[in-house]
Amino acid sequence: IDAVPFQHQAQALLEFAKALDADCKSLDRRLPVAESARAFAVQHQPREKYAVLISPASSHSQRNWHADGYARVADHIQEHCERPVILVGGPSVQERQLGEAIEASMQTTPVNLIGKDTLSELLAMLERAACLITPDSGPAHLAASFGTPVVGLYAATWARRSGPLGSLEHCVDEYPTAARRFMNTEPEGLRWGRRIERPGVMDLISVDQVIARLSPLL
């Protein structure tokens, strides 16, 4: 397949399908969701498309935003937007600890489901949510596959390459700033896909930036 400069990685993968003359114009990216999982989502989100989900952790810890930032955004959602906030994530020690740190930093109280749901139940939660806040992570793409808006938090990686399709305009993308500050170059001067997983890189994202992206969605 031909290389396309600065192409989103999902579109790059589709080039293989195009080379095989597969139809790529009417793709349905939604994953199947069991009705039992939808019942779990209804239990925790009685009102459809109303709650805001936060999946705070990536598999790469230096892509994660800090607990205080998540906490301040979550408080804003619950106090000023009067919408519930639900924390979701896997059962790892790191994810549980991040969720607990967010809760401890909040003035309001979220629903913390980190480590308490199955993958199928997570899909149902994402399908039913108003939107998702998350760093560069798997749940960003799962939510986007359902058409659920994603406020993606990017600095260690570039949303332009790996952000959630359909929600790139909702992402906070400080990768260009990170390239200049940590790599002393413009982002276009780096190898396509280069990660800047450095201590402090995600601190380039401010609470005000996240709220500004979130507000139109709510």
Side-chain angles (χ1 to χ4, degrees):
I1 63 173
D2 293 331
V4 180
F6 302 108
Q7 187 178 40
H8 192 283
Q9 61 183 0
Q11 297 296 341
L13 290 170
L14 283 175
E15 295 294 340
F16 289 100
K18 293 176 183 176
L20 297 172
D21 294 324
D23 177 16
C24 299
K25 294 180 180 179
S26 55
L27 295 177
D28 183 354
R29 297 187 291 137
R30 293 174 297 176
L31 294 172
V33 180
E35 287 306 312
S36 59
R38 286 200 171 106
F40 176 89
V42 170
Q43 175 187 349
H44 293 285
Q45 298 185 71
R47 185 171 173 181
E48 188 176 11
K49 300 299 181 183
Y50 190 65
V52 176
L53 270 57
I54 298 178
S55 181
S58 168
S59 58
H60 297 246
S61 61
Q62 289 186 332
R63 297 182 192 177
N64 293 345
W65 202 32
H66 46 80
D68 180 65
Y70 284 121
R72 290 169 61 190
V73 169
D75 281 335
H76 174 85
I77 294 166
Q78 298 203 134
E79 291 177 341
H80 298 283
C81 303
E82 298 183 345
R83 290 175 181 250
V85 170
I86 303 174
L87 306 180
V88 294
S92 70
V93 172
Q94 293 83 358
E95 289 180 81
R96 290 180 185 271
Q97 289 178 341
L98 181 54
E100 290 166 0
I102 293 169
E103 279 193 278
S105 298
M106 288 179 63
Q107 301 299 311
T108 59
T109 303
V111 175
N112 188 347
L113 296 181
I114 293 177
K116 300 176 182 178
D117 58 357
T118 65
L119 181 56
S120 182
E121 288 167 346
L122 171 64
L123 291 176
M125 291 289 289
L126 294 170
E127 179 186 43
R128 194 170 178 82
C131 65
L132 171 71
I133 303 171
T134 189
D136 186 359
S137 65
H141 305 290
L142 297 176
S145 74
F146 291 111
T148 299
V150 180
V151 178
L153 310 181
Y154 289 78
T157 55
W158 203 352
R160 182 177 172 185
R161 177 182 183 270
S162 59
L165 289 180
S167 279
L168 297 182
E169 70 273 22
H170 306 314
C171 294
V172 178
D173 193 343
E174 284 294 332
Y175 183 86
T177 304
R180 298 179 192 111
R181 183 169 301 183
F182 291 91
M183 309 300 289
N184 197 32
T185 186
E186 292 298 315
E188 292 83 2
L190 297 174
R191 177 182 58 80
W192 189 234
R194 174 68 182 270
R195 300 166 182 168
I196 309 176
E197 294 177 341
R198 303 287 185 85
V201 68
M202 292 298 287
D203 293 341
L204 295 172
I205 296 173
S206 72
V207 170
D208 288 343
Q209 285 177 305
V210 180
I211 291 174
R213 289 288 190 274
L214 184 65
S215 294
L217 299 175
L218 302 182

